[in-house]
Amino acid sequence: MKSTLNQINRELKAIADAHIQVNTYYWGDFLNAINQDSAVTYPLMCCYVTGNSLSKVTIPVTINIIIADKFFKTGRQGNLNDTESDTLQVVRDVYQVISKSPRWQNLGKISGATASKFLEKGADESAGWVLAISFTMYDTNSVCDLPMIGYDFEESGDMQNCADVLIINSDDTFSYTASSGETYTLPDTVYNVYFNSVLQQTFSVPTLS
C-alpha cells in the first residue's frame, strides 16, 4: 500500500500535537478513549477509520474524527454553547489541514465530509462534534509488488501476471524477450553509406532518437 492506516494515525496525531486547543489524542473510538485507566485531559481528539470497499488502485475509507470537551452546568444551559462552538472550530481547523495540506494530498483525497454534534452524559459530561471524512487512500501496488515468494498467479478475469514482454520490429527481423522488471537497451542503428557501390562510410545512431 502506498498509504497505510499507520500513516493516517501518525498524521492525525501530528495535527493534534500541534493544535493548541487539543490536549489529548487517542486512536480509537470515543468510549474506549474515555474508559482508559488514566483520566482524559480535555479537549480530546480521538480518531478511527471505517471502510467497506476496495478498488484497483485506491482504498475508500471514512476517517472519523471526534473533538470533545467537558461542559459545566451552571444554571440551565451552562457553557454548552461555548463548548460546541469551540469544538466546531477545531473540527474546521482539522478539515482545513486534511483538505489543503500537501502531505495529506500525498496520502489520498477527500471526496466528501459531514459534521454532526454529540452530547455525552456519562461519567464525563462532554460535548463536541464528529467529523466524518470520506477519504480515498492511494494504493499503487500491483500484483508484482506483493510481498509473496513462489506463488504462481493464474490468469483469471482481468488479473495480469508478470509475464515476459516480446519486443519485435514491424517486419519481424528483430525480436527480443524481456523478463518482467528487466531494462532492455535497444542496439544502435547502423548505417552504411555507398557511392557507386563502394562503401564510403559507416556510422551508428541511437535507435528511436
Side-chain angles (χ1 to χ4, degrees):
M1 291 173 61
K2 180 178 179 180
S3 305
T4 67
L5 292 183
N6 285 333
Q7 288 175 294
I8 299 294
N9 179 21
R10 287 195 297 268
E11 289 297 329
L12 290 169
K13 185 178 186 305
I15 293 174
D17 291 343
H19 203 293
I20 63 175
Q21 289 178 272
V22 175
N23 286 331
T24 300
Y25 173 80
Y26 183 81
W27 179 249
D29 62 32
F30 180 75
L31 290 179
N32 286 333
I34 64 175
N35 288 321
Q36 299 178 84
D37 293 335
S38 56
V40 173
T41 303
Y42 289 92
L44 164 70
M45 174 176 167
C46 58
C47 309
Y48 62 97
V49 171
T50 55
N52 60 3
S53 63
L54 293 173
S55 299
K56 282 188 176 181
V57 294
T58 60
I59 303 175
V61 298
T62 299
I63 303 176
N64 302 279
I65 302 169
I66 302 172
I67 306 296
D69 198 4
K70 294 187 72 172
F71 68 93
F72 304 97
K73 292 180 178 180
T74 54
R76 183 176 181 180
Q77 184 69 17
N79 70 335
L80 179 59
N81 285 340
D82 291 338
T83 299
E84 290 177 345
S85 177
D86 292 344
T87 51
L88 178 58
Q89 183 58 57
V90 176
V91 161
R92 182 64 183 173
D93 296 342
V94 173
Y95 177 80
Q96 290 280 71
V97 173
I98 296 176
S99 63
K100 297 180 179 179
S101 170
R103 58 198 285 179
W104 274 92
Q105 292 171 8
N106 290 331
L107 296 177
K109 62 180 180 179
I110 293 178
S111 56
T114 61
S116 56
K117 290 197 300 185
F118 83 95
L119 185 66
E120 173 64 32
K121 294 185 177 180
D124 291 338
E125 290 193 328
S126 58
W129 293 81
V130 180
L131 174 62
I133 297 178
S134 298
F135 192 77
T136 302
M137 300 169 57
Y138 297 137
D139 181 12
T140 57
N141 283 359
S142 69
V143 171
C144 301
D145 299 318
L146 297 179
M148 302 175 69
I149 299 175
Y151 185 80
D152 183 15
F153 291 96
E154 293 184 357
E155 293 187 8
S156 175
D158 59 357
M159 174 72 75
Q160 294 183 353
N161 295 335
C162 304
D164 294 340
V165 176
L166 177 62
I167 303 171
I168 61 175
N169 61 358
S170 60
D171 61 1
D172 291 330
T173 58
F174 173 84
S175 67
Y176 179 83
T177 301
S179 60
S180 176
E182 177 184 354
T183 298
Y184 175 71
T185 302
L186 291 170
D188 290 344
T189 301
V190 178
Y191 294 92
N192 295 321
V193 179
Y194 289 86
F195 182 75
N196 291 332
S197 301
V198 178
L199 179 64
Q200 300 293 321
Q201 184 182 6
T202 298
F203 65 94
S204 62
V205 295
T207 302
L208 300 180
S209 64

